[in-house]
Amino acid sequence: MTNGHYGPYGGRFVPEALTAALDELDAAFRSAKEDSAFMQELRALERDYTGRPNPLTYAKRFSEHCGGARVYLKREDLNHTGSHKINNVLGQALLTQRMGKKRMIAETGAGQHGVATATAAALFGLECTVYMGLEDTRRQALNVARMKLLGAEVIPVTAGSQTLKDAINEAMRDWVASVDTTHYVLGTVTGPAPFPEMVRYFHSVIGIEAREQILGIEGRLPDAVVACVGGGSNAMGLFSGFMDDEQVILRGYEAGGDGVETGRHSARFSGGTPGVLHGARTYVMQDQWGQTAPSHSISAGMDYPGVGPEHAWLHDTGRASYEPVTDAEAMEAFAILSKTEGIIPAIETAHGLAGAMRIGKELGPDSVVIVNLSGRGDKDVATAARWFGIDLGSTVTNELSPEMREGR
Amino acid sequence: MTRHVSEAFAIAKSENRAALIGYLPAGFPNPELSVKLINAMVTSGVDIIEVGLPYSDPLMDGPVIQQAVDQALAAGTTTDVVLDIVKQVVDAGAIAVVMSYWNPIERYGVERFAAGLEAAGGSGVIAPDLTPEESGDWSVASDAHFVDRILMVAPSSTDARINAIVSVTSGFVYAASTMGVTGARTTVSSGAHDLVTRTRAATSLPIAVGLGVSTGDQAAEIAAYADGVIVGSAFVRRVLDAANDEAAIEAVSKLAQELAAGVRR
């Protein structure tokens, strides 16, 4: 099997009890990739269920805010369930069946991965449990309701910071005890091998489509492809299509929160150091003793102290670069895209859009930039309304938790 | 002079019993009291102390130990404090190993940690999330400083895997009794006996069984086939439930006595 390393990053740092399951998963993944029946089933699901290929939309009016660069949106928001997350989940759900397991568990931050997993579980008739930090269940109440409607059990995690990292801890604890019957559908390109490689593989369809589409429209490769980076799965999916095109700039945008200088952020490459978290060596926000430091972002899906190990390696080798985008910059981009293109993005995605505005100005008016529109913003309407001071009125307010009404 | 775990297993064997290994997080509920609690465990019959290094993301631990390490971290228990606590309990007569997730050791510096533990008189390290494949640097540093590398085997480990693990293990092999996280269970999995038998075929090192053990009866049951019995959450529970410091010391001592009697049945 592969050693699962990207330079010094990646690997497997897990309790021995999980080794057999990871070996089983690795073997199932490798045999499935070579199995034309499996791949045909996956491609058919992508086409008939997810709705792929999704468009590459030229954002004419948004481009005016990007230094005149021609900015294209890869429309993962148009996938069934509203984000890129479904690409990975359908692949892992097919693997769950292939391994003869009956139950899927998942962690979720913004709820998009949880919704996608609950969706696939419903489609395949599998049991589903989703772990979500209590703080995130409040920030993303709409997605909690969606998961429950889809038949999943949602367990709020009260440990630690009550966010994505704690949800991953809890999912791992479940998995150690249930591994005979349960597959852990990890939602991003991190965790122990083979997860980073496997999740990238299932998202590589994003980059493959985008490359073909831009060559068809522009007749040339883009100057840059950009994406938001929480764990980094949507970025890795897009980047993978252009990895070997060395002239194409790959740039990821992390959550700068209140500003990297305030310490309240999730910018691992600006404020983190190499360490081990959740089974992989990567860049981690940690203190001098190796204790995980609190992360912050207005966006639940970006609020994570680690990052995919391949991103760590791309950062060190210089093939990709990473910059922080503050909450305020992301919300500005959120508003601009909504008003210029009629597309309300997820707040995670808005970090990538802010990046497109920045890099477009850097590269100038003749440049071509692709930004991954990784998810739609319906789930974020309440957060955005609070940010922009929009009065939600009594009808809507009644559906919000007391904390939300108080504006917390 | 550091006393090693091998000494504790040799003594236990000469007395025709299993060794008793007790876990408590360093700095729980605060550094000063944790030293007193550990000393009480030793005087009440615990042969080897597992000093836990508190970590923010203990993904192999159940809620009881999570709560304890949160308290220890809040009380300011850094890696330097842990090494100081090891020194204090070793000076008081304990044979001590450190139980730590890998990141705090890597962050401290692998060589620096091994040297610091040797200087403190610590005997070994259990790192539950460090696999043989990732142990390269640690093997060099731990050998250089005479620190035992205690790795875990699990019921799901294949025989080939057990061979690979014991080949880089020293001191003793930690056999996880069950597939799950730490925490008391009413019965100890029958899979534990099978795992010990399979591990025994691969190594002459002592084999200790942990996860889920909390009573004298369970200790006696495991002592019938293993060389050591490991108890963690049950000690932590006693401290969490105690009304005050004296009650915590009393409760921990009583449990240690019950377990020590168990391994001698």
Side-chain angles (χ1 to χ4, degrees), chain A residues 5 11-17 19-20 159 165 169 173 176-177 179 273 275-276 281 286-292, chain B residues 54-61 66 73 78 80 103-104 106-107 128-129 131 134 152 154 156-157 161 165 179-181:
Chain A
H5 288 87
R12 264 189 203 171
F13 295 83
V14 291
E16 170 58 21
T19 296
K165 97 175 163 71
N169 291 342
R173 290 177 186 127
V176 173
V179 69
T273 45
V276 170
R281 184 180 289 117
Q286 56 181 337
D287 69 13
Q288 64 163 311
W289 306 107
Q291 307 293 339
T292 309
Chain B
Y55 176 53
S56 53
D57 293 272
L59 57 80
M60 223 197 91
D61 286 303
Q66 287 174 45
L73 287 171
T78 64
D80 281 342
N103 194 50
E106 184 160 302
R107 182 74 170 142
D129 56 349
T131 55
E134 306 290 349
M152 301 181 87
S156 59
S157 304
R161 184 79 190 157
I165 291 167
M179 298 292 285
V181 297

Side-chain angles (χ1 to χ4, degrees), chain A residues 95-335:
Chain A
L95 285 179
T96 304
Q97 280 194 322
R98 193 179 176 90
M99 292 185 290
K101 295 185 175 183
K102 306 288 182 212
R103 176 171 174 259
M104 298 197 292
I105 57 173
E107 84 294 343
T108 198
Q112 294 301 88
H113 175 58
V115 166
T117 306
T119 299
L123 180 65
F124 287 91
L126 300 166
E127 281 179 63
C128 182
T129 300
V130 178
Y131 291 92
M132 187 169 189
L134 182 65
E135 168 72 16
D136 290 341
T137 64
R138 290 176 178 147
R139 282 194 280 196
Q140 310 281 201
L142 179 67
N143 272 343
V144 174
R146 289 171 79 195
M147 287 183 269
K148 288 182 176 171
L149 290 169
L150 290 161
E153 175 190 23
V154 179
I155 300 183
V157 176
T158 55
S161 59
Q162 308 188 350
T163 61
L164 182 54
K165 97 175 163 71
D166 308 285
I168 294 177
N169 291 342
E170 214 52 45
M172 288 269 191
R173 290 177 186 127
D174 180 319
W175 200 32
V176 173
S178 65
V179 69
D180 283 348
T181 59
T182 299
H183 174 59
Y184 177 18
V185 184
L186 190 59
T188 190
V189 286
T190 187
F195 280 109
E197 179 190 357
M198 181 177 71
V199 176
R200 167 188 157 151
Y201 180 79
F202 289 134
H203 282 306
S204 62
V205 65
I206 303 172
I208 291 167
E209 283 179 12
R211 191 174 188 281
E212 196 182 306
Q213 288 166 325
I214 198 71
L215 288 174
I217 301 166
E218 286 280 345
R220 70 168 178 100
L221 288 169
D223 297 287
V225 298
V226 308
C228 65
V229 179
S233 66
N234 91 82
M236 198 51 74
L238 181 62
F239 289 1
S240 65
F242 300 90
M243 201 67 78
D244 298 332
D245 301 317
E246 285 179 14
Q247 70 273 36
V248 177
I249 296 169
L250 311 178
R251 191 162 296 170
Y253 294 93
E254 308 183 274
D258 292 344
V260 172
E261 70 287 351
T262 67
R264 285 177 47 77
H265 63 85
S266 307
R268 292 68 41 106
F269 292 118
S270 301
T273 45
V276 170
L277 181 67
H278 293 145
R281 184 180 289 117
T282 184
Y283 277 74
V284 177
M285 293 182 51
Q286 56 181 337
D287 69 13
Q288 64 163 311
W289 306 107
Q291 307 293 339
T292 309
S295 56
H296 167 78
S297 171
I298 187 171
S299 140
M302 306 282 280
D303 195 346
Y304 180 60
V307 64
E310 191 174 3
H311 283 294
W313 184 232
L314 292 174
H315 170 268
D316 282 14
T317 59
R319 177 62 190 98
S321 53
Y322 299 84
E323 294 178 359
V325 164
T326 63
D327 289 354
E329 290 172 296
M331 292 313 291
E332 185 195 358
F334 176 101

Side-chain angles (χ1 to χ4, degrees), chain B residues 132-163:
Chain B
E133 292 78 10
E134 306 290 349
S135 292
D137 291 352
W138 178 235
S139 291
V140 173
S142 52
D143 281 347
H145 294 283
F146 310 101
V147 168
D148 281 326
R149 281 185 304 279
I150 300 150
L151 274 75
M152 301 181 87
V153 294
S156 59
S157 304
T158 61
D159 290 344
R161 184 79 190 157
I162 290 174
N163 275 315

